[in-house]
Amino acid sequence: MGDLFLVRHGETEWSRSGRHTGLTDVPLTDHGRDQARRLVPLIRSHRIGAAFASPLQRARETAELIGLHDVRVDADLREWDYGGYEGITTVEIHRSRPDWFLFTDGVAPGPPDHPGETPEQVGERADRVLARAEAAFADTEGCVVLVAHGHFLRVLTARYLRLPPSSGALFQLATGTLCRLGTEHGRPVIAAWNVRPGS
């Protein structure tokens, strides 16, 4: 597999306030749009063979602002379904569950339209995305770009590195940043992480 670029969407009101933003389709803030635009030089410096984005507007708009073309919308790139914790901050959850940790405990059940996901279910989606990325490398030259969400991309990185989904906890990921996954001596590695222009 060639280089896989991960882009976390720019800031939203909910990401700024720490609210778990799974399937709620909130837009980027003006600052989030600026974050995305600042990634353009980093994206343009590489040959892009294929690009995929989450169906949620914050990811699709980020993909547009960074100048990606022919972006394939992939439902598996959506953010973690936080179920009963949608829109709630970790601080609020800790009031009733002081030892709760997303990457090992998952979420409280939600309503039928977003019941919540376990770490393993998110890992299964990540595995499907990685399989599609690998297929894209076979059909094109250049890098593959995935534009998605913080917690999902952290789990995807863990799976890329052949780690369990819970190991996504190891990879803090800021809004409006670029990461590169590659290989060294045939083994998967993180080649760059949380990159912004000038960093």
Side-chain angles (χ1 to χ4, degrees):
M1 189 183 288
D3 282 346
L4 185 61
F5 285 82
L6 313 180
V7 177
R8 183 180 175 193
H9 63 77
E11 178 196 79
T12 68
E13 291 287 351
W14 280 26
S15 69
R16 182 168 57 195
S17 61
R19 296 170 72 180
H20 285 89
T21 318
L23 305 184
T24 304
D25 207 4
V26 295
L28 298 176
T29 61
D30 288 341
H31 177 63
R33 292 182 186 95
D34 289 341
Q35 286 179 314
R37 290 184 190 103
R38 286 197 292 268
L39 292 176
V40 170
L42 297 178
I43 294 295
R44 284 190 178 156
S45 65
H46 298 277
R47 181 175 180 179
I48 306 302
F52 299 83
S54 159
L56 297 168
Q57 65 173 317
R58 56 193 184 271
R60 289 185 290 108
E61 185 177 8
T62 297
E64 180 182 334
L65 290 169
I66 64 177
L68 295 176
H69 303 286
D70 302 318
V71 177
R72 299 177 229 179
V73 174
D74 187 335
D76 279 333
L77 279 169
R78 70 189 184 278
E79 180 59 296
W80 199 310
D81 180 350
Y82 297 119
Y85 291 156
E86 182 77 7
I88 300 174
T89 68
T90 298
V91 170
E92 291 169 322
I93 296 167
H94 281 169
R95 289 180 189 145
S96 59
R97 293 182 67 185
D99 297 325
W100 175 80
F101 188 56
L102 174 67
F103 288 96
T104 52
D105 299 327
V107 299
D113 57 334
H114 61 96
E117 288 179 293
T118 65
E120 292 73 25
Q121 288 171 322
V122 179
E124 289 168 5
R125 284 199 286 116
D127 288 345
R128 293 195 297 267
V129 170
L130 288 170
R132 284 193 281 279
E134 188 167 2
F137 282 118
D139 290 340
T140 188
E141 294 181 8
C143 307
V144 171
V145 181
L146 307 178
V147 184
H149 312 273
H151 284 144
F152 177 78
L153 289 175
R154 291 168 69 174
V155 171
L156 182 138
T157 298
R159 298 302 300 137
Y160 178 84
L161 297 172
R162 303 173 188 159
L163 299 171
S166 59
S167 293
L170 302 172
F171 312 111
Q172 189 275 339
L173 183 55
T175 56
T177 56
L178 177 73
C179 305
R180 182 163 60 93
L181 305 180
T183 57
E184 184 179 50
H185 307 301
R187 296 179 180 273
V189 296
I190 296 174
W193 194 258
N194 263 344
V195 177
R196 290 189 177 104
S199 64

